[in-house]
Amino acid sequence: MNDISRASLTVDVYKLIQRKKDPVLQARLYNMVFQYAFENIKPDEESDLFDYFLLVQSKIDYEIKTKISGKKGGLKKAENRTDFFNSTQDPRIGFSEPYDTNVNENVNVNVNENERENENEPEESPHSQPTLSFSSPEQEYSNTVFKIFSAAGCPCQNNNPLTFLQKDFKDGLEILHRTQGLQNLHSDDVIQACRNYTSVLLDSKMYVTNRYSFPKFLQTKNFTDYLPQNFVRENFILYDQKKQPQNTGQPQTQTPPEIPFEDARQEFLIKMQNDPRFIKPIFCHFAAIWDSCSRPKGEEYFRWQNEMIKDDWSQNYLKMQT
């Protein structure tokens, strides 16, 4: 006798029986199905129900086999699961009414779900790392920050832009998102803060000497001092540079104070506006870097400008102009 807990009737078997309108015939059909499913008793071949039995036998066998195999860990791949679907029997045997051949679409509802999932899902290596996904604006954002830190000699994953994107840039965004007061910072403000930081870092007159990675820079206690709305360049000048020359009674030749960045930038724009080689948008975009490089002038400036033209932002700008 079959274990009742291992047998089940699919909904299509139920629907087939219900198509018979005679309640006596329905009862006989149910009895035949139960006897075979639970007691392995087949109807006599001369019985008027034998044609129906041939139709549902493979279904019942499959359901019992699936239940038993499911408790053992699933069907082996070598076992044939498609006997029912490959059957050449006419599904209309024993029925005078039209028969819907699509009734059996749910026949496999009891197949071991765990095995089905394991067959469809690729095996993952325990050492595999999740692939990070970044949008195009995020990649451009990361690339801009990477070039600023790389040009200043700051740690940026051995100057590897892809590793920088997946490590330093990702960590930096997480720091911004979880730090009170920094969650709503616009990327332009962060980029300008990076430029302000590297400009004073590369200036020998400034006291800033520590070369931080991008995430470490965001964690410094005075990070907000570099934001464009807070940045005051004079606040980073070395104390010795601020001291006035002592009065020795001798005439002193005093070096005029350095022109503030914004004044120097405006003055340079006016001076260069008539030179056909001068590309104003590129200068304005990289003005902070120009400032950090001791404000090159003349031919030295154009050599600097040629380097900035290699930047992706410059390339995109020049393409738009053609």
Side-chain angles (χ1 to χ4, degrees):
M1 180 176 179
N2 290 327
D3 184 353
I4 293 178
S5 66
R6 293 177 178 174
S8 63
L9 296 179
T10 54
V11 66
D12 54 310
V13 174
Y14 167 78
K15 288 182 178 179
L16 290 176
I17 295 176
Q18 288 298 305
R19 293 177 68 85
K20 293 299 183 181
K21 307 303 181 184
D22 185 351
V24 176
L25 183 56
Q26 286 184 5
R28 290 181 60 204
L29 290 173
Y30 277 120
N31 187 55
M32 181 202 70
V33 170
F34 292 150
Q35 282 186 332
Y36 180 70
F38 301 148
E39 300 182 7
N40 201 26
I41 298 176
K42 298 181 181 180
D44 189 278
E45 292 186 6
E46 300 300 323
S47 169
D48 58 344
L49 300 180
F50 190 76
D51 287 343
Y52 177 86
F53 170 77
L54 293 178
L55 178 64
V56 301
Q57 179 184 11
S58 60
K59 303 177 189 178
I60 299 172
D61 288 343
Y62 182 83
E63 291 299 317
I64 295 174
K65 188 175 184 180
T66 300
K67 286 286 185 179
I68 296 173
S69 299
K71 293 193 174 182
K72 294 180 179 179
L75 292 173
K76 296 181 180 178
K77 292 185 178 179
E79 295 177 24
N80 185 0
R81 294 184 178 187
T82 57
D83 290 343
F84 169 70
F85 297 102
N86 294 333
S87 174
T88 57
Q89 295 183 87
D90 185 349
R92 294 166 293 183
I93 292 177
F95 293 88
S96 58
E97 306 91 88
Y99 176 71
D100 183 2
T101 58
N102 292 324
V103 168
N104 299 321
E105 62 185 8
N106 293 323
V107 69
N108 287 329
V109 293
N110 290 320
V111 173
N112 187 299
E113 292 295 337
N114 291 332
E115 182 183 2
R116 183 180 300 171
E117 292 177 359
N118 291 336
E119 287 180 353
N120 294 333
E121 294 181 359
E123 183 178 356
E124 292 186 2
S125 167
H127 302 292
S128 62
Q129 297 293 331
T131 302
L132 300 177
S133 178
F134 296 91
S135 65
S136 294
E138 285 177 328
Q139 293 181 36
E140 184 177 352
Y141 181 6
S142 173
N143 193 42
T144 302
V145 175
F146 169 78
K147 289 184 177 180
I148 294 172
F149 276 75
S150 177
C154 295
C156 47
Q157 297 297 324
N158 294 321
N159 281 331
N160 186 318
L162 179 58
T163 309
F164 179 88
L165 169 69
Q166 296 180 336
K167 185 66 174 69
D168 284 10
F169 181 71
K170 179 185 76 70
D171 291 347
L173 291 188
E174 290 177 354
I175 291 169
L176 291 174
H177 292 162
R178 68 170 182 257
T179 303
Q180 185 68 27
L182 302 183
Q183 293 94 333
N184 298 321
L185 276 181
H186 193 277
S187 59
D188 289 346
D189 291 335
V190 177
I191 290 171
Q192 188 57 49
C194 295
R195 288 179 173 143
N196 292 337
Y197 160 62
T198 56
S199 72
V200 299
L201 175 66
L202 297 174
D203 192 335
S204 61
K205 300 183 181 67
M206 307 296 170
Y207 64 79
V208 178
T209 58
N210 291 326
R211 282 176 162 79
Y212 297 112
S213 65
F214 178 54
K216 288 291 185 182
F217 168 59
L218 299 177
Q219 291 177 305
T220 57
K221 61 182 181 180
N222 60 338
F223 163 70
T224 54
D225 293 341
Y226 294 101
L227 291 172
Q229 63 269 30
N230 302 329
F231 184 64
V232 179
R233 189 176 183 81
E234 287 73 16
N235 291 346
F236 295 89
I237 298 176
L238 284 166
Y239 176 75
D240 290 343
Q241 298 292 329
K242 296 180 180 179
K243 292 174 62 177
Q244 295 294 327
Q246 295 181 358
N247 185 5
T248 61
Q250 299 295 326
Q252 298 288 332
T253 302
Q254 296 186 4
T255 302
E258 185 179 14
I259 302 174
F261 168 65
E262 286 299 330
D263 294 342
R265 174 179 173 275
Q266 189 63 29
E267 180 181 298
F268 191 73
L269 280 171
I270 295 172
K271 180 179 179 180
M272 300 295 290
Q273 62 182 347
N274 294 324
D275 193 317
R277 297 175 295 170
F278 179 66
I279 306 176
K280 180 179 177 180
I282 291 180
F283 170 75
C284 292
H285 186 79
F286 298 104
I289 298 178
W290 169 79
D291 182 59
S292 68
C293 294
S294 302
R295 305 174 184 176
K297 299 177 176 62
E299 292 304 318
E300 185 181 354
Y301 167 78
F302 288 108
R303 285 193 291 270
W304 176 86
Q305 180 178 267
N306 288 336
E307 290 299 316
M308 296 301 104
I309 287 176
K310 298 176 183 178
D311 185 86
D312 290 346
W313 183 92
S314 302
Q315 291 295 313
N316 291 333
Y317 167 77
L318 294 175
K319 285 179 183 178
M320 292 175 61
Q321 305 307 307
T322 58

